Amino acid sequence: MAVEGTTGRVTRRRVRTRANLLDAAFSVFAAKGFGHVSIEQVCEAAGYSRGAFYSNFSSLDELFFALYRERADLIAEQVSGVLALDGPDLDVPAAVDRVTDVLLLDRDWLLVKTDFLVHAARDLDVARSLLEHRARLRQAIADRLGRARGHTALPAVLGGTDGAARAVVAAYDGVTTQLLLDRDVEHARAWLKQLLTALLTDGSGTPDQH
């Protein structure tokens, strides 16, 4: 029993250490940019030794990808959660309204995400992992659109649910890129609502009408 209790405490401490390292790395990467950050800087920000770092991550690249995956998974959960609220039907403008209200539009995250995209563009293995993750997000959106008996048919020009899901992700990417430059979160959120409504409906309605 004593061994089990000790193991439980060690496991919880390791989980907490990993979470603290990820939080510290997020702040350091957002401030300095990937490629300008050392393991020592992450450890200093988290208040841990290099030993604590290497007990959780084999390299800065591994930590960087874990950080990206954690935040990207949060976005996928946000989108899936609000899309599920309509049950078997899907009121597209209302769903767009909910999605854009909860969607993560944090500038620090966008800085880290952009760094990760640039890093992946130069590393084939990282690119494959990133493409797989983005494909899962698109598939989750496409599956939800496909299950909907819906209030609104998707525009034929999108070529079906897969095309619609690609359009949604592309719209998010474009709006967040603009947000990096003008830093206007409220305008970005409003523009994303308008853009997604226009993409997924005939464009005659706006989310604010629902």
Side-chain angles (χ1 to χ4, degrees):
M1 293 297 293
V3 172
E4 291 178 359
T6 301
T7 301
R9 288 194 297 274
V10 169
T11 301
R12 287 193 297 273
R13 183 165 64 247
R14 182 167 184 173
V15 168
R16 186 167 60 251
T17 299
R18 180 184 175 87
N20 289 341
L21 283 166
L22 286 169
D23 285 344
F26 178 77
S27 298
V28 176
F29 284 137
K32 296 179 179 295
F34 186 73
H36 300 281
V37 172
S38 66
I39 290 174
E40 288 77 9
Q41 288 172 318
V42 173
C43 291
E44 181 179 356
Y48 292 121
S49 66
R50 286 176 62 93
F53 179 94
Y54 283 115
S55 69
N56 288 276
F57 303 102
S58 62
S59 66
L60 210 54
D61 276 17
E62 183 184 337
L63 180 149
F64 195 40
F65 190 76
L67 178 62
Y68 176 87
R69 186 170 59 244
E70 178 186 74
R71 298 293 171 127
D73 284 346
L74 172 60
I75 290 174
E77 289 171 9
Q78 288 175 327
V79 171
S80 298
V82 296
L83 288 179
L85 294 178
D86 285 326
D89 293 322
L90 184 63
D91 182 342
V92 170
V96 165
D97 203 15
R98 291 195 303 269
V99 167
T100 52
D101 279 343
V102 304
L103 199 57
L104 185 65
L105 288 175
D106 176 73
R107 191 169 182 274
D108 283 348
W109 154 243
L110 298 178
L111 287 168
V112 172
K113 173 190 168 185
T114 302
D115 271 349
F116 193 80
L117 289 171
V118 172
H119 178 52
R122 295 190 174 99
D123 187 310
L124 187 59
D125 289 335
V126 178
R128 287 195 190 101
S129 297
L130 179 56
L131 287 170
E132 289 170 3
H133 196 282
R134 287 170 67 84
R136 288 196 297 273
L137 174 59
R138 288 198 308 269
Q139 191 60 52
I141 297 170
D143 287 348
R144 182 62 186 95
L145 293 172
R147 290 196 307 272
R149 294 194 295 270
H151 295 68
T152 310
L154 294 172
V157 70
L158 292 176
T161 55
D162 183 64
R166 288 179 179 275
V168 168
V169 174
Y172 174 73
D173 286 343
V175 169
T176 53
T177 297
Q178 182 64 30
L179 176 59
L180 278 175
L181 300 176
D182 63 26
R183 307 186 182 206
D184 188 343
V185 175
E186 291 309 309
H187 183 265
R189 203 177 296 279
W191 175 237
L192 187 59
K193 287 184 182 184
Q194 295 171 16
L195 184 56
L196 291 182
T197 301
L199 279 170
L200 299 178
T201 69
D202 62 4
S204 62
T206 63
D208 291 336
Q209 293 175 340
H210 293 262

PDB file of all heavy atoms in Angstrom, residues 7-33:
ATOM      1  N   THR A   7       3.743   5.826  -5.473  1.00  0.00           N
ATOM      2  CA  THR A   7       3.657   5.880  -6.930  1.00  0.00           C
ATOM      3  C   THR A   7       2.613   6.892  -7.373  1.00  0.00           C
ATOM      4  O   THR A   7       2.825   7.652  -8.319  1.00  0.00           O
ATOM      5  CB  THR A   7       3.312   4.488  -7.489  1.00  0.00           C
ATOM      6  OG1 THR A   7       4.320   3.566  -7.091  1.00  0.00           O
ATOM      7  CG2 THR A   7       3.233   4.529  -9.013  1.00  0.00           C
ATOM      8  N   GLY A   8       1.482   6.913  -6.675  1.00  0.00           N
ATOM      9  CA  GLY A   8       0.430   7.871  -7.012  1.00  0.00           C
ATOM     10  C   GLY A   8       0.890   9.296  -6.846  1.00  0.00           C
ATOM     11  O   GLY A   8       0.611  10.150  -7.694  1.00  0.00           O
ATOM     12  N   ARG A   9       1.638   9.554  -5.751  1.00  0.00           N
ATOM     13  CA  ARG A   9       2.139  10.909  -5.526  1.00  0.00           C
ATOM     14  C   ARG A   9       3.152  11.308  -6.588  1.00  0.00           C
ATOM     15  O   ARG A   9       3.146  12.438  -7.083  1.00  0.00           O
ATOM     16  CB  ARG A   9       2.753  11.030  -4.136  1.00  0.00           C
ATOM     17  CG  ARG A   9       1.724  11.029  -2.998  1.00  0.00           C
ATOM     18  CD  ARG A   9       2.363  11.481  -1.704  1.00  0.00           C
ATOM     19  NE  ARG A   9       3.408  10.590  -1.250  1.00  0.00           N
ATOM     20  CZ  ARG A   9       3.211   9.513  -0.511  1.00  0.00           C
ATOM     21  NH1 ARG A   9       1.977   9.171  -0.139  1.00  0.00           N
ATOM     22  NH2 ARG A   9       4.235   8.768  -0.105  1.00  0.00           N
ATOM     23  N   VAL A  10       4.036  10.356  -6.969  1.00  0.00           N
ATOM     24  CA  VAL A  10       5.039  10.630  -7.985  1.00  0.00           C
ATOM     25  C   VAL A  10       4.362  10.930  -9.320  1.00  0.00           C
ATOM     26  O   VAL A  10       4.725  11.856 -10.034  1.00  0.00           O
ATOM     27  CB  VAL A  10       6.009   9.438  -8.129  1.00  0.00           C
ATOM     28  CG1 VAL A  10       6.888   9.616  -9.358  1.00  0.00           C
ATOM     29  CG2 VAL A  10       6.867   9.302  -6.878  1.00  0.00           C
ATOM     30  N   THR A  11       3.339  10.128  -9.655  1.00  0.00           N
ATOM     31  CA  THR A  11       2.633  10.324 -10.918  1.00  0.00           C
ATOM     32  C   THR A  11       1.964  11.681 -10.961  1.00  0.00           C
ATOM     33  O   THR A  11       2.040  12.398 -11.962  1.00  0.00           O
ATOM     34  CB  THR A  11       1.584   9.216 -11.133  1.00  0.00           C
ATOM     35  OG1 THR A  11       2.253   7.948 -11.145  1.00  0.00           O
ATOM     36  CG2 THR A  11       0.841   9.414 -12.442  1.00  0.00           C
ATOM     37  N   ARG A  12       1.293  12.039  -9.859  1.00  0.00           N
ATOM     38  CA  ARG A  12       0.620  13.343  -9.816  1.00  0.00           C
ATOM     39  C   ARG A  12       1.635  14.471  -9.909  1.00  0.00           C
ATOM     40  O   ARG A  12       1.388  15.488 -10.581  1.00  0.00           O
ATOM     41  CB  ARG A  12      -0.211  13.470  -8.536  1.00  0.00           C
ATOM     42  CG  ARG A  12      -1.483  12.630  -8.540  1.00  0.00           C
ATOM     43  CD  ARG A  12      -2.394  13.024  -7.412  1.00  0.00           C
ATOM     44  NE  ARG A  12      -1.806  12.788  -6.105  1.00  0.00           N
ATOM     45  CZ  ARG A  12      -1.888  11.636  -5.448  1.00  0.00           C
ATOM     46  NH1 ARG A  12      -2.545  10.616  -5.975  1.00  0.00           N
ATOM     47  NH2 ARG A  12      -1.336  11.501  -4.256  1.00  0.00           N
ATOM     48  N   ARG A  13       2.776  14.309  -9.240  1.00  0.00           N
ATOM     49  CA  ARG A  13       3.806  15.346  -9.280  1.00  0.00           C
ATOM     50  C   ARG A  13       4.376  15.476 -10.696  1.00  0.00           C
ATOM     51  O   ARG A  13       4.604  16.587 -11.173  1.00  0.00           O
ATOM     52  CB  ARG A  13       4.926  15.017  -8.292  1.00  0.00           C
ATOM     53  CG  ARG A  13       5.994  16.103  -8.236  1.00  0.00           C
ATOM     54  CD  ARG A  13       6.878  15.956  -7.027  1.00  0.00           C
ATOM     55  NE  ARG A  13       7.642  14.723  -7.053  1.00  0.00           N
ATOM     56  CZ  ARG A  13       7.481  13.704  -6.193  1.00  0.00           C
ATOM     57  NH1 ARG A  13       6.562  13.767  -5.235  1.00  0.00           N
ATOM     58  NH2 ARG A  13       8.224  12.613  -6.289  1.00  0.00           N
ATOM     59  N   ARG A  14       4.563  14.340 -11.365  1.00  0.00           N
ATOM     60  CA  ARG A  14       5.087  14.394 -12.729  1.00  0.00           C
ATOM     61  C   ARG A  14       4.085  15.050 -13.678  1.00  0.00           C
ATOM     62  O   ARG A  14       4.479  15.838 -14.551  1.00  0.00           O
ATOM     63  CB  ARG A  14       5.418  12.987 -13.214  1.00  0.00           C
ATOM     64  CG  ARG A  14       6.012  12.984 -14.604  1.00  0.00           C
ATOM     65  CD  ARG A  14       6.612  11.661 -14.969  1.00  0.00           C
ATOM     66  NE  ARG A  14       7.254  11.711 -16.271  1.00  0.00           N
ATOM     67  CZ  ARG A  14       7.963  10.725 -16.777  1.00  0.00           C
ATOM     68  NH1 ARG A  14       8.126   9.600 -16.091  1.00  0.00           N
ATOM     69  NH2 ARG A  14       8.496  10.842 -17.974  1.00  0.00           N
ATOM     70  N   VAL A  15       2.807  14.742 -13.516  1.00  0.00           N
ATOM     71  CA  VAL A  15       1.777  15.384 -14.344  1.00  0.00           C
ATOM     72  C   VAL A  15       1.785  16.884 -14.122  1.00  0.00           C
ATOM     73  O   VAL A  15       1.695  17.675 -15.066  1.00  0.00           O
ATOM     74  CB  VAL A  15       0.378  14.787 -14.030  1.00  0.00           C
ATOM     75  CG1 VAL A  15      -0.729  15.638 -14.654  1.00  0.00           C
ATOM     76  CG2 VAL A  15       0.288  13.350 -14.529  1.00  0.00           C
ATOM     77  N   ARG A  16       1.899  17.290 -12.846  1.00  0.00           N
ATOM     78  CA  ARG A  16       1.931  18.723 -12.520  1.00  0.00           C
ATOM     79  C   ARG A  16       3.187  19.385 -13.094  1.00  0.00           C
ATOM     80  O   ARG A  16       3.129  20.500 -13.614  1.00  0.00           O
ATOM     81  CB  ARG A  16       1.864  18.902 -11.005  1.00  0.00           C
ATOM     82  CG  ARG A  16       1.752  20.361 -10.565  1.00  0.00           C
ATOM     83  CD  ARG A  16       1.388  20.467  -9.110  1.00  0.00           C
ATOM     84  NE  ARG A  16       2.367  19.842  -8.241  1.00  0.00           N
ATOM     85  CZ  ARG A  16       2.162  18.704  -7.568  1.00  0.00           C
ATOM     86  NH1 ARG A  16       0.998  18.068  -7.671  1.00  0.00           N
ATOM     87  NH2 ARG A  16       3.098  18.196  -6.795  1.00  0.00           N
ATOM     88  N   THR A  17       4.332  18.701 -12.996  1.00  0.00           N
ATOM     89  CA  THR A  17       5.573  19.240 -13.545  1.00  0.00           C
ATOM     90  C   THR A  17       5.466  19.432 -15.053  1.00  0.00           C
ATOM     91  O   THR A  17       5.861  20.469 -15.593  1.00  0.00           O
ATOM     92  CB  THR A  17       6.755  18.301 -13.230  1.00  0.00           C
ATOM     93  OG1 THR A  17       6.904  18.193 -11.810  1.00  0.00           O
ATOM     94  CG2 THR A  17       8.052  18.831 -13.837  1.00  0.00           C
ATOM     95  N   ARG A  18       4.916  18.425 -15.736  1.00  0.00           N
ATOM     96  CA  ARG A  18       4.752  18.516 -17.186  1.00  0.00           C
ATOM     97  C   ARG A  18       3.842  19.695 -17.554  1.00  0.00           C
ATOM     98  O   ARG A  18       4.148  20.456 -18.465  1.00  0.00           O
ATOM     99  CB  ARG A  18       4.168  17.201 -17.717  1.00  0.00           C
ATOM    100  CG  ARG A  18       3.955  17.188 -19.226  1.00  0.00           C
ATOM    101  CD  ARG A  18       3.285  15.891 -19.656  1.00  0.00           C
ATOM    102  NE  ARG A  18       2.954  15.901 -21.070  1.00  0.00           N
ATOM    103  CZ  ARG A  18       3.759  15.543 -22.053  1.00  0.00           C
ATOM    104  NH1 ARG A  18       4.992  15.129 -21.762  1.00  0.00           N
ATOM    105  NH2 ARG A  18       3.370  15.581 -23.312  1.00  0.00           N
ATOM    106  N   ALA A  19       2.738  19.834 -16.812  1.00  0.00           N
ATOM    107  CA  ALA A  19       1.804  20.934 -17.085  1.00  0.00           C
ATOM    108  C   ALA A  19       2.466  22.284 -16.858  1.00  0.00           C
ATOM    109  O   ALA A  19       2.280  23.227 -17.641  1.00  0.00           O
ATOM    110  CB  ALA A  19       0.562  20.791 -16.208  1.00  0.00           C
ATOM    111  N   ASN A  20       3.260  22.391 -15.801  1.00  0.00           N
ATOM    112  CA  ASN A  20       3.950  23.652 -15.514  1.00  0.00           C
ATOM    113  C   ASN A  20       4.991  23.987 -16.580  1.00  0.00           C
ATOM    114  O   ASN A  20       5.167  25.157 -16.955  1.00  0.00           O
ATOM    115  CB  ASN A  20       4.609  23.590 -14.142  1.00  0.00           C
ATOM    116  CG  ASN A  20       3.598  23.613 -13.009  1.00  0.00           C
ATOM    117  OD1 ASN A  20       2.447  24.011 -13.200  1.00  0.00           O
ATOM    118  ND2 ASN A  20       4.007  23.175 -11.834  1.00  0.00           N
ATOM    119  N   LEU A  21       5.685  22.966 -17.070  1.00  0.00           N
ATOM    120  CA  LEU A  21       6.656  23.184 -18.135  1.00  0.00           C
ATOM    121  C   LEU A  21       5.965  23.653 -19.412  1.00  0.00           C
ATOM    122  O   LEU A  21       6.456  24.558 -20.098  1.00  0.00           O
ATOM    123  CB  LEU A  21       7.438  21.891 -18.410  1.00  0.00           C
ATOM    124  CG  LEU A  21       8.537  21.537 -17.399  1.00  0.00           C
ATOM    125  CD1 LEU A  21       8.985  20.085 -17.594  1.00  0.00           C
ATOM    126  CD2 LEU A  21       9.725  22.484 -17.536  1.00  0.00           C
ATOM    127  N   LEU A  22       4.817  23.070 -19.718  1.00  0.00           N
ATOM    128  CA  LEU A  22       4.066  23.477 -20.903  1.00  0.00           C
ATOM    129  C   LEU A  22       3.574  24.917 -20.773  1.00  0.00           C
ATOM    130  O   LEU A  22       3.648  25.701 -21.732  1.00  0.00           O
ATOM    131  CB  LEU A  22       2.888  22.534 -21.141  1.00  0.00           C
ATOM    132  CG  LEU A  22       3.240  21.146 -21.698  1.00  0.00           C
ATOM    133  CD1 LEU A  22       2.036  20.226 -21.641  1.00  0.00           C
ATOM    134  CD2 LEU A  22       3.766  21.249 -23.130  1.00  0.00           C
ATOM    135  N   ASP A  23       3.079  25.265 -19.602  1.00  0.00           N
ATOM    136  CA  ASP A  23       2.601  26.636 -19.386  1.00  0.00           C
ATOM    137  C   ASP A  23       3.751  27.640 -19.515  1.00  0.00           C
ATOM    138  O   ASP A  23       3.603  28.706 -20.137  1.00  0.00           O
ATOM    139  CB  ASP A  23       1.962  26.764 -17.999  1.00  0.00           C
ATOM    140  CG  ASP A  23       0.585  26.121 -17.930  1.00  0.00           C
ATOM    141  OD1 ASP A  23       0.005  25.846 -19.000  1.00  0.00           O
ATOM    142  OD2 ASP A  23       0.097  25.880 -16.805  1.00  0.00           O
ATOM    143  N   ALA A  24       4.887  27.297 -18.905  1.00  0.00           N
ATOM    144  CA  ALA A  24       6.040  28.199 -18.981  1.00  0.00           C
ATOM    145  C   ALA A  24       6.545  28.313 -20.415  1.00  0.00           C
ATOM    146  O   ALA A  24       6.874  29.404 -20.891  1.00  0.00           O
ATOM    147  CB  ALA A  24       7.155  27.688 -18.067  1.00  0.00           C
ATOM    148  N   ALA A  25       6.584  27.180 -21.119  1.00  0.00           N
ATOM    149  CA  ALA A  25       7.054  27.189 -22.505  1.00  0.00           C
ATOM    150  C   ALA A  25       6.139  28.027 -23.380  1.00  0.00           C
ATOM    151  O   ALA A  25       6.611  28.745 -24.276  1.00  0.00           O
ATOM    152  CB  ALA A  25       7.117  25.750 -23.037  1.00  0.00           C
ATOM    153  N   PHE A  26       4.846  27.969 -23.130  1.00  0.00           N
ATOM    154  CA  PHE A  26       3.899  28.765 -23.909  1.00  0.00           C
ATOM    155  C   PHE A  26       4.247  30.252 -23.805  1.00  0.00           C
ATOM    156  O   PHE A  26       4.308  30.960 -24.806  1.00  0.00           O
ATOM    157  CB  PHE A  26       2.482  28.511 -23.417  1.00  0.00           C
ATOM    158  CG  PHE A  26       1.432  29.318 -24.139  1.00  0.00           C
ATOM    159  CD1 PHE A  26       1.018  28.967 -25.406  1.00  0.00           C
ATOM    160  CD2 PHE A  26       0.870  30.441 -23.552  1.00  0.00           C
ATOM    161  CE1 PHE A  26       0.064  29.714 -26.077  1.00  0.00           C
ATOM    162  CE2 PHE A  26      -0.084  31.199 -24.211  1.00  0.00           C
ATOM    163  CZ  PHE A  26      -0.493  30.829 -25.484  1.00  0.00           C
ATOM    164  N   SER A  27       4.488  30.707 -22.591  1.00  0.00           N
ATOM    165  CA  SER A  27       4.816  32.118 -22.379  1.00  0.00           C
ATOM    166  C   SER A  27       6.139  32.494 -23.037  1.00  0.00           C
ATOM    167  O   SER A  27       6.262  33.548 -23.675  1.00  0.00           O
ATOM    168  CB  SER A  27       4.884  32.420 -20.878  1.00  0.00           C
ATOM    169  OG  SER A  27       3.635  32.184 -20.260  1.00  0.00           O
ATOM    170  N   VAL A  28       7.131  31.616 -22.913  1.00  0.00           N
ATOM    171  CA  VAL A  28       8.457  31.915 -23.463  1.00  0.00           C
ATOM    172  C   VAL A  28       8.433  31.884 -24.993  1.00  0.00           C
ATOM    173  O   VAL A  28       8.991  32.765 -25.658  1.00  0.00           O
ATOM    174  CB  VAL A  28       9.500  30.920 -22.911  1.00  0.00           C
ATOM    175  CG1 VAL A  28      10.860  31.159 -23.566  1.00  0.00           C
ATOM    176  CG2 VAL A  28       9.629  31.059 -21.400  1.00  0.00           C
ATOM    177  N   PHE A  29       7.771  30.874 -25.556  1.00  0.00           N
ATOM    178  CA  PHE A  29       7.683  30.784 -27.015  1.00  0.00           C
ATOM    179  C   PHE A  29       6.924  31.972 -27.598  1.00  0.00           C
ATOM    180  O   PHE A  29       7.295  32.511 -28.645  1.00  0.00           O
ATOM    181  CB  PHE A  29       6.991  29.488 -27.438  1.00  0.00           C
ATOM    182  CG  PHE A  29       7.847  28.261 -27.330  1.00  0.00           C
ATOM    183  CD1 PHE A  29       7.345  27.089 -26.805  1.00  0.00           C
ATOM    184  CD2 PHE A  29       9.161  28.273 -27.780  1.00  0.00           C
ATOM    185  CE1 PHE A  29       8.119  25.945 -26.715  1.00  0.00           C
ATOM    186  CE2 PHE A  29       9.960  27.143 -27.694  1.00  0.00           C
ATOM    187  CZ  PHE A  29       9.438  25.974 -27.156  1.00  0.00           C
ATOM    188  N   ALA A  30       5.837  32.372 -26.935  1.00  0.00           N
ATOM    189  CA  ALA A  30       5.051  33.506 -27.431  1.00  0.00           C
ATOM    190  C   ALA A  30       5.866  34.792 -27.392  1.00  0.00           C
ATOM    191  O   ALA A  30       5.757  35.639 -28.282  1.00  0.00           O
ATOM    192  CB  ALA A  30       3.770  33.659 -26.606  1.00  0.00           C
ATOM    193  N   ALA A  31       6.684  34.942 -26.359  1.00  0.00           N
ATOM    194  CA  ALA A  31       7.466  36.174 -26.201  1.00  0.00           C
ATOM    195  C   ALA A  31       8.685  36.222 -27.115  1.00  0.00           C
ATOM    196  O   ALA A  31       9.020  37.275 -27.671  1.00  0.00           O
ATOM    197  CB  ALA A  31       7.913  36.319 -24.744  1.00  0.00           C
ATOM    198  N   LYS A  32       9.354  35.078 -27.305  1.00  0.00           N
ATOM    199  CA  LYS A  32      10.646  35.076 -28.003  1.00  0.00           C
ATOM    200  C   LYS A  32      10.604  34.413 -29.374  1.00  0.00           C
ATOM    201  O   LYS A  32      11.409  34.738 -30.245  1.00  0.00           O
ATOM    202  CB  LYS A  32      11.691  34.371 -27.134  1.00  0.00           C
ATOM    203  CG  LYS A  32      11.982  35.070 -25.818  1.00  0.00           C
ATOM    204  CD  LYS A  32      13.020  34.301 -25.005  1.00  0.00           C
ATOM    205  CE  LYS A  32      13.341  35.009 -23.695  1.00  0.00           C
ATOM    206  NZ  LYS A  32      13.995  36.309 -23.919  1.00  0.00           N
ATOM    207  N   GLY A  33       9.676  33.478 -29.572  1.00  0.00           N
ATOM    208  CA  GLY A  33       9.603  32.756 -30.831  1.00  0.00           C
ATOM    209  C   GLY A  33      10.439  31.491 -30.806  1.00  0.00           C
ATOM    210  O   GLY A  33      11.534  31.452 -30.237  1.00  0.00           O
TER     211      GLY A  33
END
